[in-house]
Amino acid sequence: MSVSVEKLEKSMAKLTIEVAAESFDKAIDKVYNKQKNKIQIPGFRKGKAPRHMIERMYGKEVFFEDAANEVINEEYPKAVDECGEDVVSNPDIEVSQIEAGKPFIFTATVALKPEVKLGKYKGVEVEKMDLDVTDEEVNAEIDQERNRNARTIEVTDRKVEDGDIVTLDFEGFVDGIAFEGGKGTDYPLTIGSGSFIPGFEEQLVGFEIGKEGEVNVTFPKDYHSEDLAGKDATFKCTVKAIKTRELPELNDEFASDVSEFETVAEYKEDVKKKLAERKEAEAKAQREDAAVKAVIEDSEMELPEKMVETQQRQIVNDFAQRLQYQGMNMQQYMQYTGNTVEQLLEQVKPQAIERIQSRLVLEAVAAAEKFEIAENEIQEELEKMAKQYNMEADKVKELMGDREIKSLKDDLLVQKAAKFLVENAKEVGAKKTTRKAAAKKSDDAAEEKPKRTRKTAAKKSDDAAAEEKPKRTRKTAAKKEEE
């Protein structure tokens, strides 16, 4: 196999890979042995017809396509290693020559790692975070725990109030005609959860058990159903039951039930300590993100579109994998949301660009500072991975191989560069959390919001895919092995 490189515009390149005729013939023979049991030739038992007889009957090219795929899959990675270029995209493959007895030639058009012209990266300004933990934040955290341990009791002697959980029958009408999907029976709804159309839940406040009433709303203009978007609707509603959540009293008994401490004072002190640790971790991540973004803004790089497309597909593939963990596949997701793969790819494009830019500037900083990774640092990382996956460190290293060890080393260099940026950044200002914001955060977290449809759940997954923070590391062989 031989490979030549033609540099193109915008960090693109065309690799021309030539494979010896003998190698291509071996690939044809391999395909023949795989497929012969499926081919019936008159005069021969199934699977016993020699290759030349099959080629005589169906043409010499009968195995060419599959053999070409065999050769490309085997030789392309070798060509990338041999050419010495830093390829950062999936290839566009074209076959240039495929003939019996002649070398097999194909081209791969790929994106190459673009040049980064670093701007200022030492002493970039990042916002100083307020790490003080207030009493309001401690109380808000404890209130969340009380909400998680609340008991639900049935109410029969009053009307519906905000925060109640009601069992509801409803039917919706537009212009006096019932519409599809607008009817529900024994539906559990938390008043104030925001699960229904704006204005719907507020109007249920004051309803009495067993008495039918009307709720008048207007569907949002961007409602997913075009037939209902922007239209006025009337819902006939009957509250069949009311339940409310009763929070446990904050006392020593509660503290001992939900923690390892015997008194409220000790419990509060532990909550405060954990909140401080959480704030420190969040502040560290935010400082790193801010520092990297500042370096990106002052640097110059031109991203090849193919590189961005490859990253977009990687993000969507990761998202599809997370959906599987939730018991949903991409086909179901597309059905529930009405999205297409193309729309999802476009949605994650800004994230893909940010992820690539972050990686590139951190690699450039590591190179500028001449950072190196010692063998003991690699070993420490392997031992962490081994502990995480309950394996021996040597086994993890064996599974990874030379290429993924190099990838691990690159990841460690990036982490070292990120730490360097933070350590050399200048903190300015201070962002404080107000009491009102802390209380609202507590209320939002404590509220259990029921989902009206599976489509709503899929929409939240969609948003999560678009808003996920950029990743600066790659999956390891140990992780792949576990999967």
Side-chain angles (χ1 to χ4, degrees):
M1 187 267 292
S2 64
V3 56
S4 61
V5 180
E6 177 189 355
K7 296 289 183 69
L8 306 175
E9 294 180 343
K10 297 182 179 180
S11 299
M12 297 293 291
K14 179 184 282 187
L15 313 183
T16 300
I17 299 121
E18 182 174 320
V19 181
E22 294 80 3
S23 297
F24 184 61
D25 192 63
K26 286 180 181 178
I28 292 175
D29 208 44
K30 184 177 179 180
V31 171
Y32 157 72
N33 284 311
K34 281 184 180 179
Q35 298 182 2
K36 64 181 181 180
N37 290 331
K38 303 175 186 177
I39 301 173
Q40 182 72 57
I41 297 290
F44 295 91
R45 283 184 293 138
K46 194 172 184 179
K48 297 299 181 179
R51 174 181 147 186
H52 73 274
M53 290 299 296
I54 298 173
E55 290 174 337
R56 182 181 297 176
M57 174 165 281
Y58 294 103
K60 288 186 177 181
E61 301 82 9
V62 62
F63 298 120
F64 275 16
E65 183 176 349
D66 290 331
N69 290 332
E70 288 277 348
V71 172
I72 291 168
N73 290 336
E74 183 175 347
E75 300 298 333
Y76 171 72
K78 297 178 185 176
V80 171
D81 289 340
E82 185 175 316
C83 74
E85 300 291 343
D86 200 341
V87 175
V88 292
S89 75
N90 294 327
D92 284 340
I93 301 290
E94 286 188 13
V95 175
S96 302
Q97 179 171 286
I98 181 168
E99 294 182 40
K102 291 185 178 181
F104 174 69
I105 303 174
F106 67 99
T107 62
T109 303
V110 295
L112 302 180
K113 180 179 173 180
E115 179 186 0
V116 177
K117 294 181 180 178
L118 276 177
K120 178 181 178 180
Y121 65 90
K122 294 179 183 177
V124 297
E125 292 185 349
V126 298
E127 186 177 50
K128 185 177 182 180
M129 303 301 296
D130 177 23
L131 299 179
D132 293 335
V133 178
T134 65
D135 290 341
E136 287 85 351
E137 289 172 314
V138 172
N139 291 334
E141 188 77 8
I142 291 173
D143 284 344
Q144 288 185 41
E145 190 62 41
R146 292 175 68 202
N147 267 284
R148 284 191 286 269
N149 287 271
R151 67 189 185 100
T152 303
I153 59 174
E154 190 163 353
V155 177
T156 58
D157 59 350
R158 65 167 173 79
K159 299 176 181 179
V160 175
E161 295 178 0
D162 189 30
D164 284 344
I165 304 166
V166 301
T167 302
L168 184 68
D169 287 354
F170 61 89
E171 186 170 16
F173 299 84
V174 172
D175 297 330
I177 301 173
F179 58 86
E180 185 179 354
K183 186 175 183 179
T185 303
D186 293 333
Y187 189 90
L189 174 64
T190 301
I191 306 302
S193 66
S195 300
F196 273 37
I197 304 163
F200 183 99
E201 294 166 28
E202 293 88 334
Q203 295 180 56
L204 290 175
V205 173
F207 270 48
E208 294 183 42
I209 295 174
K211 290 187 179 181
E212 185 178 87
E214 289 188 354
V215 170
N216 297 299
V217 296
T218 301
F219 281 95
K221 290 182 179 179
D222 60 351
Y223 194 67
H224 60 81
S225 171
E226 294 182 2
D227 294 337
L228 298 174
K231 292 189 177 179
D232 295 331
T234 297
F235 285 85
K236 293 182 179 180
C237 302
T238 302
V239 173
K240 299 170 74 174
I242 303 173
K243 293 180 181 179
T244 188
R245 291 168 62 81
E246 185 178 78
L247 272 62
E249 186 179 348
L250 180 57
N251 52 27
D252 291 346
E253 182 181 355
F254 172 77
S256 63
D257 284 343
V258 299
S259 74
E260 58 186 289
F261 304 99
E262 297 299 324
T263 67
V264 171
E266 291 175 309
Y267 173 50
K268 281 190 172 183
E269 192 60 34
D270 182 64
V271 170
K272 186 173 184 177
K273 178 184 175 183
K274 289 176 179 174
L275 280 174
E277 291 171 352
R278 187 192 306 168
K279 274 195 169 186
E280 177 57 42
E282 290 172 353
K284 181 181 177 183
Q286 289 177 25
R287 285 195 297 266
E288 182 180 311
D289 284 343
V292 171
K293 285 178 181 177
V295 177
I296 290 172
E297 288 175 7
D298 204 38
S299 300
E300 294 180 22
M301 68 191 92
E302 186 176 15
L303 304 186
E305 192 59 33
K306 281 291 179 186
M307 184 182 190
V308 177
E309 288 174 7
T310 298
Q311 189 63 245
Q312 285 173 265
R313 294 198 176 278
Q314 182 60 57
I315 293 171
V316 171
N317 289 340
D318 290 344
F319 177 57
Q321 193 172 65
R322 292 197 302 276
L323 282 178
Q324 286 184 331
Y325 294 151
Q326 298 170 16
M328 182 186 294
N329 59 41
M330 280 296 281
Q331 186 176 0
Q332 291 170 321
Y333 169 79
M334 295 303 173
Q335 180 182 347
Y336 296 143
T337 62
N339 281 346
T340 64
V341 172
E342 288 71 24
Q343 288 172 325
L344 188 55
L345 285 167
E346 189 60 31
Q347 184 182 356
V348 303
K349 187 172 183 177
Q351 181 190 343
I353 292 172
E354 184 180 359
R355 184 180 291 190
I356 293 168
Q357 289 175 329
S358 298
R359 180 86 186 193
L360 288 176
V361 297
L362 288 170
E363 289 176 344
V365 168
E369 291 297 316
K370 297 181 172 59
F371 289 148
E372 294 183 355
I373 301 299
E375 285 300 320
N376 66 300
E377 291 177 281
I378 295 175
Q379 187 61 32
E380 285 175 11
E381 194 66 21
L382 289 172
E383 287 171 2
K384 287 180 188 177
M385 292 162 56
K387 186 176 180 181
Q388 182 179 355
Y389 301 116
N390 196 26
M391 299 169 64
E392 296 293 330
D394 290 342
K395 179 63 176 176
V396 173
K397 188 174 183 179
E398 180 186 331
L399 284 169
M400 292 178 71
D402 292 340
R403 182 176 293 184
E404 292 203 323
I405 289 292
K406 181 184 180 304
S407 178
L408 174 61
K409 187 181 290 187
D410 291 342
D411 291 341
L412 291 174
L413 281 169
V414 163
Q415 292 171 25
K416 188 171 285 192
K419 183 179 178 182
F420 175 84
L421 291 184
V422 173
E423 289 174 346
N424 287 273
K426 293 180 181 178
E427 288 189 321
V428 294
K431 184 177 181 181
K432 291 186 177 290
T433 303
T434 63
R435 295 183 181 184
K436 186 175 180 181
K440 185 177 187 307
K441 184 177 179 182
S442 171
D443 291 342
D444 291 344
E447 245 174 28
E448 212 174 296
K449 298 188 177 183
K451 302 177 180 63
R452 188 163 68 138
T453 62
R454 295 183 73 180
K455 183 167 186 174
T456 307
K459 175 68 167 64
K460 290 183 178 179
S461 293
D462 195 359
D463 294 341
E467 295 173 6
E468 183 187 358
K469 290 290 184 185
K471 296 178 183 176
R472 302 194 185 103
T473 59
R474 302 168 186 164
K475 285 186 178 179
T476 62
K479 176 66 176 171
K480 292 178 181 176
E481 178 74 7
E482 185 189 64
E483 292 170 353

